[in-house]
Amino acid sequence: SAVISQKPSRDICQRGTSLTIQCQVDSQVTMMFWYRQQPGQSLTLIATANQGSEATYESGFVIDKFPISRPNLTFSTLTVSNMSPEDSSIYLCSVVRATEAFFGQGTRLTVV
Amino acid sequence: QKEVEQDPGPLSVPEGAIVSLNCTYSNSAFQYFMWYRQYSRKGPELLMYTYSSGNKEDGRFTAQVDKSSKYISLFIRDSQPSDSATYLCAMSDAGGTSYGKLTFGQGTILTVHP
């Protein structure tokens, strides 16, 4: 299994501000994945983060809006920049161990 | 058209019922098929994993994959109130570490009442 800790677990933010979400894994992993779960919607992959290289973003997501850092093999951050109410979602990080993808408990973001 | 379609429900059944959850997909490159369970305010946790077509059974849970029809199912026998959760199907066309690039269905909200 994998133990994934996400911080913060929830936050309420003003529009126009930025929030950085942290993801800590209990052991080294090559790739970390960031997902968004909008209300009533499925989980959507935002980007894949490799240590030592730029993150790879999925269609519809850009680095200026969702900058990602991956300073080492157990840690990553996702920043939601210049937030608007449409960014209100649950953000989850994920890692793969063998054939199983594990998820953190998520960060519930509300933008007002 | 979404790559993965899942009836969001909600689905409400009595305790002991057999539950059938289904997803259809359009991408024929998908090879890895999963079912996740997500309790309120928690991250998804893996229930079942299947590679390619076929059936897989684990206790009260059975996963079926029919690649020719692009259709997957999860059956829950003798459902319990503790099974009340959102069930998400997920798929991947990549192996290895890229396996984590999953495409999810919308999720089905299941309530099992005593």
Side-chain angles (χ1 to χ4, degrees):
Chain A
S1 65
V3 177
I4 303 173
S5 299
Q6 266 188 252
K7 292 181 182 179
S9 58
R10 57 172 50 215
D11 208 341
I12 300 173
C13 300
Q14 296 290 323
R15 67 179 67 200
T17 62
S18 298
L19 176 71
T20 295
I21 301 167
Q22 299 179 5
C23 181
Q24 178 75 51
V25 189
D26 63 342
S27 61
Q28 295 181 348
V29 291
T30 304
M31 292 185 182
M32 296 179 75
F33 304 88
W34 286 98
Y35 285 84
R36 181 174 71 181
Q37 187 174 27
Q38 293 180 300
Q41 302 294 319
S42 60
L43 279 78
T44 302
L45 181 64
I46 297 171
T48 303
N50 284 329
Q51 194 268 335
S53 64
E54 291 284 333
T56 303
Y57 289 83
E58 298 298 308
S59 176
F61 297 97
V62 295
I63 187 171
D64 290 347
K65 177 66 176 178
F66 298 101
I68 287 172
S69 78
R70 183 78 200 276
N72 58 54
L73 291 173
T74 63
F75 187 79
S76 178
T77 67
L78 170 76
T79 299
V80 186
S81 303
N82 188 24
M83 289 184 285
S84 66
E86 291 71 34
D87 295 319
S88 297
S89 289
I90 300 172
Y91 293 85
L92 301 107
C93 67
S94 173
V95 302
V96 172
R97 192 74 48 81
T99 56
E100 182 169 350
F102 294 89
F103 289 84
Q105 82 277 16
T107 296
R108 185 178 295 266
L109 171 62
T110 302
V111 184
V112 297
Chain B
Q1 182 190 6
K2 294 180 181 179
E3 273 194 296
V4 179
E5 298 276 0
Q6 183 177 3
D7 186 345
L11 189 60
S12 180
V13 301
E15 183 175 356
I18 297 174
V19 176
S20 173
L21 304 168
N22 311 292
C23 289
T24 59
Y25 63 95
S26 57
N27 187 348
S28 58
F30 287 141
Q31 299 183 67
Y32 303 88
F33 304 91
M34 291 133 275
W35 286 95
Y36 280 83
R37 179 174 61 195
Q38 186 175 24
Y39 291 113
S40 180
R41 302 186 185 281
K42 300 288 187 182
E45 55 180 352
L46 183 67
L47 266 181
M48 300 286 285
Y49 157 80
T50 309
Y51 171 69
S52 193
S53 285
N55 294 354
K56 188 172 185 179
E57 186 174 323
D58 184 1
R60 297 185 294 110
F61 299 90
T62 300
Q64 291 184 349
V65 174
D66 182 348
K67 289 189 70 178
S68 62
S69 302
K70 297 188 177 65
Y71 188 86
I72 71 170
S73 300
L74 177 71
F75 297 95
I76 307 174
R77 292 183 298 279
D78 187 24
S79 56
Q80 303 295 309
S82 59
D83 295 328
S84 299
T86 298
Y87 290 79
L88 301 141
C89 62
M91 308 176 189
S92 176
D93 61 1
T97 52
S98 292
Y99 173 95
K101 296 179 67 174
L102 301 177
T103 302
F104 282 86
Q106 189 175 356
T108 300
I109 300 171
L110 172 66
T111 301
V112 181
H113 50 85

